[in-house]
Amino acid sequence: MHLYNAWLPPPVAQETKREKDSFSRVVCSVKNSFKPDDPDSVYSTLKWISVIDLIISILETKREKDSFSRVVCSVKNSFKPDDPDSVYSTLKWISVIDLFIKAKSDVSLEDVSTLVEIGLELFKNSQNKLYAQVRWGNILVRVLNKYRKKLSLKVQWRPLYDTLVNTHFTRDTGPEGWRLRQRHFEAITSLVRSCRRFFPPGSAFEIWSEFSDWIKSCIDLWDSMPNCQFWNSQWAALVARVVKNCNSIEWECFLPTLFARYLNMFEVTV
């Protein structure tokens, strides 16, 4: 064990032993990527340079904040708001950011805030680029969950809502397969949960106001369906959540329909 790590608590000191293994795996990956009989294979090794540089920076703890700042700056410079396709040039930095999170590095909160703001901007401007949104969505969830108590942000809920509706609740004949769409749905729902604490005051009322117009459509749709215990339980759970959390809806006009549906659920003979 290095003398610099001797003062650490035993569990933490034990974890530092994995640094050598991590670096060894990177070196092995570089070695396997390069084929001496194929000069062009050198390009496949370039992706590891930033990782090697980062590991060295992490081992030199005094440089952690500067290294993270450089990564954030690189992401910011790679993304051009007027060029939606520039989001792809930022994806190479996600694994580097992930490494900082796993390393529990002491980074600047200002840089973390900047990274989150850039990431959300990238996510918003990457409509119909599901793979890019999945990658950025997942890393943003990890960053927000780790620093949620230390950050002071304002995140607008509307862009997330629009992305969710446009991607998963409208007909789209895009080339993405079912698996990627499923990953995207999981990523955006997780991102919404992580961002909720950063929504501006009054967002809850705005969100419920958005859904209040849906209630009539939902109940009409439920009423048009045959009696089915599975779907009845799903619709009943949805209505129960709305009743519990929203006080702005007049329920009197819906009572006859709801009474009939609940009567069918109990299978009471009339």
Side-chain angles (χ1 to χ4, degrees), residues 81-230:
D82 55 344
D83 179 14
D85 289 335
S86 66
V87 65
Y88 294 115
S89 65
T90 67
L91 298 182
K92 62 184 177 184
W93 295 107
I94 290 181
S95 59
V96 182
I97 296 169
D98 187 53
L99 187 56
F100 267 110
I101 298 173
K102 290 179 179 178
K104 299 178 173 59
S105 301
D106 181 21
V107 297
S108 168
L109 288 180
E110 182 179 353
D111 289 331
V112 175
S113 297
T114 302
L115 176 65
V116 172
E117 291 170 357
I118 295 172
L120 290 172
E121 185 70 17
L122 284 164
F123 192 90
K124 183 180 70 173
N125 285 276
S126 303
Q127 300 299 324
N128 300 321
K129 297 178 175 61
L130 301 193
Y131 176 73
Q133 287 188 326
V134 167
R135 293 291 306 278
W136 273 107
N138 287 334
I139 198 67
L140 283 171
V141 168
R142 294 196 60 194
V143 173
L144 288 169
N145 288 346
K146 180 173 182 178
Y147 295 99
R148 62 184 181 276
K149 295 182 179 179
K150 300 178 181 179
L151 293 176
S152 178
L153 296 170
K154 286 290 187 292
V155 179
Q156 299 298 323
W157 65 271
R158 174 65 68 174
L160 298 173
Y161 170 78
D162 290 340
T163 299
L164 178 64
V165 171
N166 293 335
T167 305
H168 297 283
F169 295 96
T170 57
R171 289 186 177 274
D172 187 359
T173 57
E176 299 85 4
W178 173 86
R179 181 56 184 163
L180 180 57
R181 284 187 168 273
Q182 180 66 21
R183 289 177 58 196
H184 185 276
F185 184 78
E186 294 170 356
I188 191 171
T189 51
S190 297
L191 182 59
V192 169
R193 283 194 293 269
S194 299
C195 288
R196 283 185 302 189
R197 67 183 299 130
F198 302 108
F199 288 167
S203 294
F205 177 78
E206 294 175 2
I207 293 171
W208 277 116
S209 298
E210 183 73 28
F211 282 95
S212 63
D213 296 333
W214 286 26
I215 295 302
K216 185 178 186 307
S217 300
C218 289
I219 292 180
D220 289 343
L221 181 60
W222 184 15
D223 191 40
S224 67
M225 298 175 63
N227 188 36
C228 172
Q229 287 295 343
F230 174 78

Side-chain angles (χ1 to χ4, degrees), residues 44-70:
S44 64
T45 67
L46 298 181
K47 62 184 178 182
W48 295 106
I49 292 178
S50 59
V51 179
I52 295 170
D53 180 66
L54 182 60
I55 291 177
I56 295 173
S57 299
I58 289 175
L59 296 178
E60 299 171 7
T61 55
K62 292 183 179 180
R63 294 176 54 197
E64 287 181 354
K65 290 186 177 180
D66 293 337
S67 299
F68 190 72
S69 297
R70 290 199 299 271

